[in-house]
Amino acid sequence: MATTTASNKERTTSSKTTPGRLFVLDLSGDLIFTVNPDGSNKKVIVTGCRFPDGIVVDAERGHIYWTNMGAPKLNDGSVERADLDGQNRKTIVPEGATFTPKQLHLDRESGKLYWSDREGMRVMRVNLDGSDIETLVDTSHGGARPGGDATKWCVGITVDPKRRQIYWTQKGPDNANQGILCRAGIDIPVGETAATRSDIEVLFDHLPEPIDLELDLENRVLYWTDRGDPPRGNTVNRASVDAKPVMPGIVFSHLMEGIGIALDVPGNRMFMTDFAGSVYSANLDGSEKKNFLYAQGNLTGIAYAEISSKEN
C-alpha cells in the first residue's frame, strides 16, 4: 500500500524535497530493493527474507513492513519491520502466528497492519508493535490449517478506514475462474465470530485469479491485479466500490503473472510487478504504459512512498 501526498514531480516543502520511491520484493532473491519511479538508483536494502510477498511503507515513522510467506504447508509465516534503509530489522509477527501471509496493508491512523493469510484462510491484523494479533475473517469456517481448498485462500487486502470496511481476494485454483473479491466490516458483528460472520459481501466472482488490491479512497475505486489466463487474466482491473458494475474494467494487460500493485493517486499513476521480473507504470486509466524494469527476479509486492531528502 502506498503513501501518496504529492504530484508525480518532486515537491519542496520547508526546504526539504520529497521524491517518490518504490520498494519492491524479489521472491527469488529473498530481498527488498528500492528504486526511483523511473527505475533508476536501485538499492538493495534487505536480504535474507523468507519468500517475501507484501510490503508497506510508513514514511512518517521511517519504517517498512513486509510479510514472509515461509513454507506454505508449515505454520512459519512472519511479518518484519526495518528502517527505510533496511537497518534495525525487527520481527513484528513471529513464525507460528500466521501460516502464509500475503499482501499487507497499513492503516496509519489506527496503527494497525492488516494482511491476508493464504493457507491459513484468514484475514488478520496486529498493532504496529506486534501486540494484539486478531483474526477478522476465517474462510475455513473452523476447518483444519493449512487449507488445501484454494477457493478459500485469502491473498489481497486493503482497508477503508473511514467506512470501517476491509476488502480481500480469494484467488481460487490456478486459472480456474473461481476467484472472488469480498468486502466486510472491520468489526465482527455482535454475537458472531470470524468464522461465522454474516456480513461478508461478494463484490465480484468468477474472476480468473485475483491477487493484490489497492483502494483509491478519494474516488472510491478499487484496483487489483489478476494472475490468471488472458483475456481477463494477467491484467489490472478497476471498479467503483459503490456502483459495483457487473464486470470490472481492464486498464492494463499483458502482465506475466501479475502480482503487486501500488497507487500514486495525486500523481495519477499506478505501479505493478509481475512474476517474470518486470516493474510497470501507467496512468490510472491505463494510458502511458511503461515497462521500465525487467528481468529483476520473481517480483511480488510493491509500495510507493514519498520520502524526505533527509531519509532518502
Side-chain angles (χ1 to χ4, degrees), residues 79-93:
V79 179
E80 292 189 73
R81 186 188 78 194
D83 295 343
L84 296 175
D85 61 1
Q87 300 299 308
N88 298 315
R89 189 169 172 177
K90 179 181 180 181
T91 298
I92 300 301
V93 176

Side-chain angles (χ1 to χ4, degrees), residues 1-2 22-23 53 55-56 103-104 156-158 211-215 222-226 235-238 251-252 255 258-264 269-274 280 284 299-304:
M1 188 67 176
L22 294 171
F23 294 77
D53 189 87
I55 185 168
V56 293
Q103 190 181 11
L104 190 65
I157 183 76
T158 192
I211 305 295
D212 282 3
L213 288 168
E214 287 289 312
L215 179 59
L222 195 65
Y223 292 76
W224 69 94
T225 53
D226 195 300
T235 55
V236 175
N237 302 260
R238 71 174 181 179
V251 294
F252 198 103
L255 296 170
I259 305 291
I261 184 168
L263 303 183
D264 171 16
R269 58 184 177 173
M270 56 184 174
F271 302 93
M272 296 76 64
T273 57
D274 66 21
Y280 308 84
L284 293 178
L299 303 185
T300 52
I302 185 171
Y304 171 81

Side-chain angles (χ1 to χ4, degrees), residues 150-311:
T151 64
K152 298 178 181 179
W153 285 357
C154 302
V155 175
I157 183 76
T158 192
V159 177
D160 181 346
K162 293 182 179 179
R163 302 197 181 193
R164 296 195 60 74
Q165 293 175 320
I166 48 176
Y167 294 79
W168 71 96
T169 61
Q170 294 172 215
K171 69 180 286 291
D174 294 351
N175 308 312
N177 294 304
Q178 295 181 37
I180 60 175
L181 198 161
C182 302
R183 175 171 67 187
I186 291 176
D187 304 304
I188 299 173
V190 176
E192 299 180 0
T193 69
T196 65
R197 60 185 305 165
S198 60
D199 64 333
I200 296 174
E201 176 186 7
V202 176
L203 295 181
F204 297 102
D205 56 12
H206 301 295
L207 301 175
E209 201 177 339
I211 305 295
D212 282 3
L213 288 168
E214 287 289 312
L215 179 59
D216 172 359
L217 286 168
E218 180 180 349
N219 299 297
R220 297 194 52 74
V221 176
L222 195 65
Y223 292 76
W224 69 94
T225 53
D226 195 300
R227 189 177 173 178
D229 283 342
R232 295 210 61 84
N234 273 312
T235 55
V236 175
N237 302 260
R238 71 174 181 179
S240 165
V241 295
D242 297 322
K244 290 184 294 183
V246 175
M247 292 291 288
I250 294 175
V251 294
F252 198 103
S253 59
H254 299 98
L255 296 170
M256 298 295 290
E257 296 194 65
I259 305 291
I261 184 168
L263 303 183
D264 171 16
V265 174
N268 185 37
R269 58 184 177 173
M270 56 184 174
F271 302 93
M272 296 76 64
T273 57
D274 66 21
F275 215 55
S278 289
V279 183
Y280 308 84
S281 66
N283 292 335
L284 293 178
D285 64 2
S287 62
E288 299 189 23
K289 300 177 182 179
K290 297 177 183 177
N291 180 354
F292 59 88
L293 278 179
Y294 54 90
Q296 298 295 308
N298 299 136
L299 303 185
T300 52
I302 185 171
Y304 171 81
E306 289 177 353
I307 310 299
S308 73
S309 58
K310 292 183 179 181
E311 297 166 329

Side-chain angles (χ1 to χ4, degrees), residues 93 97 104-105 107 110-116 122-128 130-137 157 159 164 166 185-188:
V93 176
L104 190 65
H105 177 91
D107 181 1
S110 67
K112 298 278 188 178
L113 290 167
Y114 292 76
W115 71 94
S116 283
R122 295 173 287 194
V123 173
M124 306 180 72
R125 73 174 178 179
V126 69
N127 292 329
L128 294 182
S131 63
D132 195 18
I133 299 174
E134 300 175 88
T135 295
L136 303 179
V137 178
I157 183 76
V159 177
R164 296 195 60 74
I166 48 176
I186 291 176
D187 304 304
I188 299 173

